[in-house]
Amino acid sequence: MRRVSSRWRERRTATGKTILAFGARAPDVSCIVEGRARIVLHSQVGREVSVRELGPGDVFGELAALDGGLRSASIVALTPVVSAV
């Protein structure tokens, strides 16, 4: 755990703010340490669709980090969130 924790940086996100934006290009993988967030997709007509909620221990961003592609969804903080990036 010490080896891993020396490599991450802590990120704090306020309630309602976007942690990760759909379509962004970023190589990071994140893990929620504290708080709750929601995975959000947008339909072709712009309607927001909630996919699932994330909490402590949940990981996100791994697909784009592995394939180098764009982010496939947005992650929005439901409460103040602390994540390890």
Side-chain angles (χ1 to χ4, degrees), residues 6-27:
S6 70
R7 302 181 130 206
W8 74 49
R9 66 186 183 282
E10 186 178 278
R11 179 177 179 189
R12 294 179 177 272
T13 308
T15 302
K17 298 294 182 180
T18 300
I19 300 170
L20 188 85
F22 169 79
R25 186 175 302 278

Side-chain angles (χ1 to χ4, degrees), residues 42-85:
H42 289 87
S43 71
Q44 291 180 345
V45 295
R47 183 170 172 217
E48 197 173 274
V49 179
S50 178
V51 176
R52 87 177 247 246
E53 288 190 16
L54 303 171
D58 286 326
V59 174
F60 59 90
E62 69 281 4
L63 294 178
L66 289 172
D67 69 12
L70 301 177
R71 299 301 180 166
S72 59
S74 293
I75 310 292
V76 178
L78 295 174
T79 66
V81 170
V82 176
S83 53
V85 181

